[in-house]
Amino acid sequence: MPNPFALQTSQQDGLSVITLEGFVDAHTAPQFESAVQSEMDAGRTKIIVDCMKLNYISSAGLGVFMSFIEEIRELGGDIKICGLVPKVKHTFEILGFQDIFEMVDDLPTAAQRFAQG
């Protein structure tokens, strides 16, 4: 049985919110990558990735974050990560993502951080 995965993109007050659900692995990471690229192609570079329903992320999924961050920041945007459950947050932390990405508890806090500049 394939691992569950869902992705939803929305706009909120000038921010793009990509909500990930289930498993981001080698099979589903391309969908995540496509979603980020679509936002960038549309000129939307302030992106929040909501991981509240994310249960697992593989190196392929983590690679999507890394592949875009430099370009997005050069364009004046950023990727902020919110809602990590402890198990997934641990994966991000052991790889040092907290030194590269702003990771906050929830979506309103991530939006507030963008508002603060």
Side-chain angles (χ1 to χ4, degrees), residues 25-68:
D25 56 20
H27 299 288
T28 58
Q31 293 173 60
F32 176 34
E33 183 175 17
S34 178
V36 176
Q37 186 66 57
S38 293
E39 293 309 297
M40 289 183 61
D41 290 347
R44 294 185 286 262
T45 58
K46 294 181 178 178
I47 299 172
I48 298 170
V49 180
D50 185 351
C51 300
M52 192 165 287
K53 295 180 180 177
L54 182 66
N55 297 317
Y56 171 81
I57 188 162
S58 73
S59 59
L62 294 164
V64 173
F65 284 96
M66 295 304 293
S67 66
F68 286 104

Side-chain angles (χ1 to χ4, degrees), residues 72-91:
I72 282 181
R73 287 183 177 158
E74 286 175 1
L75 295 170
D78 200 6
I79 298 174
K80 298 189 187 303
I81 303 167
C82 72
L84 291 168
V85 298
K87 182 176 84 175
V88 177
K89 186 175 185 178
H90 180 70
T91 301

